[in-house]
Amino acid sequence: MSHALTPEHSTTGSHAQAGSWKEHQTLGALAGKIWLPALVTGVAGLVVAAGAAAFTGGLRQFLFAYLTAFMYVLSFTLGSMLFVLVQHLTRAGWGVVIRRMQELIASAVLPLSILFLPILVAVLMGNGEVYQWNNPAFVADHPLVQAKASYLNSGWFTVRAVAYFAIWIFITRFLLRNSLKQDQTPDPSITIKLEERSGPLIFLFALSCTFAAIDWMMSLAPEWYSTIFGVYYFAGSMVGSFALLNLLIILLQKPAGLLSPISVEHRHDTGKLMFGFTCFWAYIGFSQYMLIWYANIPEETLWFQARQNGGWEYVSLALIFGHFFIPALLLLRRQFKRSKSQLAFVSVWLLVMHYVDLYWLIYPQFAPSPVFGLVEIGALVGLVGLFVAALVKAAGQHSLLPLNDPRLDESLKFHNI
């Protein structure tokens, strides 16, 4: 762990080293080349999804596909948000050069709050096709859901959603705004403030992330409950955010010539973190399944029974091997964490499996057998396109690397033992 900073902490050495590359660390003209195509692709994807849904499963299928894709892109912002907070809380020096990328990814939560409106409007209009607790006829026939009515109702659902996004937007704006201020001055007091505030902000993040997962995914099966569900979504979010981070670093380094201070040593550590959270995801998933299987309580086991029949058992097996065994065995090798091409392959693999995981969590509530077609592809392409457009817009002309961070010198010299 790095030492504590003092207001007299000198940053002369790191500032001097930064001078040789800091002029070349913005997207510049590349932002314009990416933003508009990503925006057009995003809008087109959603139009295709809506059009295809009109001839297949209607509004219900579109909303399920949209929710799955939304939780997918949201997970990138949440995973990145927590990592930045942890970096500040632990006074970590090694990750300074990768931190700005995650600050920018996290800041995309603001436009995502607008993209949540289709789900929110559907709930407020009384649509009960996705969230059955919003259907009075369903609630009347299910005593367990009636007992949860004080929590699961459209008004309280909306209030909580607004609160979650308010917390996340506040956290990301606080982190990015102060990080950009640090770019303008070597004064370490800005970094000290970030370190001091990160602890309480992590507490707010943990509560909001957990309850958002409960509200937006677990309540799709309103009679079912799991106290570990929020942690499961968090674990998958960390895997997805590190996979995205690795892929973006490699893509920006090779063709665009950006992020040159991020070395193989930094990628090695992000690869280790991706490996660690892949194992953590598997541990949480197994813990949830094992405890429910062992207790054998009907209202708990029904959720897993739906995922062990009708073709969903193959998706379950794909997750066991594709989301855990295969990537974990590959990332055990030092070479896979240090080679750009091999790390990029594993990152893309895990990004695909992360979507499959969310599809497995959400879609059994839509159909007893797996359904994947133009609606799902269109929604995924649409939300990912809009997310990329938001990310590029957030990056703007900002430096992709922090320029005056007091621990920049430590990060530039970082080397794995």
Side-chain angles (χ1 to χ4, degrees):
M1 182 183 295
S2 299
H3 58 277
L5 297 175
T6 64
E8 294 78 25
H9 190 91
S10 172
T11 59
T12 305
S14 62
H15 186 63
Q17 283 186 283
S20 61
W21 46 257
K22 67 179 181 180
E23 297 88 356
H24 312 289
Q25 298 303 326
T26 62
L27 287 178
L30 185 61
K33 295 178 181 178
I34 298 174
W35 180 78
L36 186 57
L39 181 64
V40 171
T41 300
V43 173
L46 292 179
V47 170
V48 169
F55 296 98
T56 52
L59 178 62
R60 183 168 183 263
Q61 184 175 2
F62 175 79
L63 289 175
F64 266 95
Y66 189 93
L67 176 64
T68 306
F70 179 84
M71 298 306 296
Y72 180 65
V73 294
L74 178 67
S75 68
F76 301 143
T77 69
L78 296 181
S80 298
M81 196 185 308
L82 179 65
F83 182 71
V84 175
L85 288 170
V86 170
Q87 287 276 294
H88 285 302
L89 184 66
T90 58
R91 299 170 180 166
W94 74 271
V96 168
V97 293
I98 67 170
R99 201 175 63 217
R100 178 60 55 78
M101 288 295 297
Q102 293 202 293
E103 289 168 348
L104 292 170
I105 294 170
S107 68
V109 76
L110 176 57
L112 287 183
S113 66
I114 299 171
L115 292 175
F116 188 70
L117 285 176
I119 302 295
L120 201 58
V121 169
V123 170
L124 288 173
M125 292 181 66
N127 184 294
E129 294 182 318
V130 176
Y131 295 105
Q132 292 177 306
W133 49 260
N134 206 33
N135 182 346
F138 178 87
V139 175
D141 291 336
H142 294 80
L144 282 176
V145 183
Q146 293 174 25
K148 301 178 183 181
S150 60
Y151 184 86
L152 294 178
N153 59 77
S154 59
W156 189 215
F157 179 90
T158 302
V159 170
R160 292 195 303 272
V162 171
Y164 303 149
F165 282 113
I167 291 170
W168 299 334
I169 292 169
F170 170 77
I171 291 174
T172 54
R173 286 180 64 85
F174 172 76
L175 293 173
L176 183 58
R177 183 177 66 250
N178 283 283
S179 182
L180 292 173
K181 281 183 182 178
Q182 187 72 83
D183 283 358
Q184 308 303 318
T185 173
D187 179 9
S189 63
I190 298 172
T191 295
I192 292 172
K193 180 172 72 172
L194 286 165
E195 293 171 354
E196 291 173 346
R197 307 284 171 82
S198 291
L201 292 179
I202 285 179
F203 178 75
L204 284 176
F205 171 87
L207 285 176
S208 57
C209 180
T210 297
F211 279 95
I214 291 171
D215 286 358
W216 301 341
M217 290 190 294
M218 195 177 85
S219 76
L220 291 168
E223 292 186 298
W224 184 72
Y225 60 90
S226 168
T227 55
I228 208 172
F229 191 88
V231 182
Y232 182 86
Y233 177 65
F234 151 75
S237 297
M238 296 305 295
V239 174
S241 66
F242 280 117
L244 178 65
L245 175 67
N246 286 322
L247 189 61
L248 288 178
I249 289 173
I250 293 168
L251 289 175
L252 288 172
Q253 280 187 328
K254 203 166 186 178
L258 297 168
L259 305 179
S260 55
I262 299 179
S263 68
V264 64
E265 305 297 336
H266 300 103
R267 295 195 305 273
H268 188 177
D269 263 23
T270 56
K272 286 189 282 188
L273 285 166
M274 191 163 67
F275 166 74
F277 278 103
T278 297
C279 295
F280 181 68
W281 171 88
Y283 164 73
I284 295 299
F286 173 76
S287 297
Q288 180 174 255
Y289 179 84
M290 185 271 292
L291 291 172
I292 290 175
W293 169 81
Y294 182 78
N296 199 29
I297 301 173
E299 56 264 31
E300 293 182 353
T301 56
L302 284 173
W303 193 87
F304 279 106
Q305 285 178 356
R307 287 154 179 81
Q308 294 177 349
N309 295 284
W312 287 110
E313 65 271 26
Y314 302 114
V315 181
S316 301
L317 287 172
L319 283 173
I320 293 171
F321 289 95
H323 203 309
F324 174 55
F325 281 113
I326 293 174
L329 289 174
L330 292 177
L331 289 170
L332 270 175
R333 299 186 61 192
R334 178 182 174 90
Q335 177 185 352
F336 267 85
K337 296 188 285 286
R338 297 178 73 85
S339 164
K340 282 187 178 181
S341 59
Q342 293 177 3
L343 184 61
F345 170 78
V346 180
S347 297
V348 171
W349 178 280
L350 279 171
L351 285 172
V352 172
M353 294 312 301
H354 180 43
Y355 176 81
V356 173
D357 182 34
L358 293 169
Y359 176 76
W360 178 82
L361 287 175
I362 294 171
Y363 249 69
Q365 303 307 131
F366 169 71
S369 298
V371 175
F372 195 81
L374 270 180
V375 180
E376 291 71 29
I377 294 171
L380 178 60
V381 171
L383 268 296
V384 170
L386 294 177
F387 171 77
V388 171
L391 177 57
V392 173
K393 194 71 174 177
Q397 298 303 311
H398 299 312
S399 171
L400 299 179
L401 294 163
L403 303 181
N404 281 308
D405 192 283
R407 294 193 173 89
L408 179 58
D409 189 52
E410 179 184 348
S411 187
L412 293 171
K413 294 177 180 178
F414 174 68
H415 181 75
N416 280 282
I417 298 176

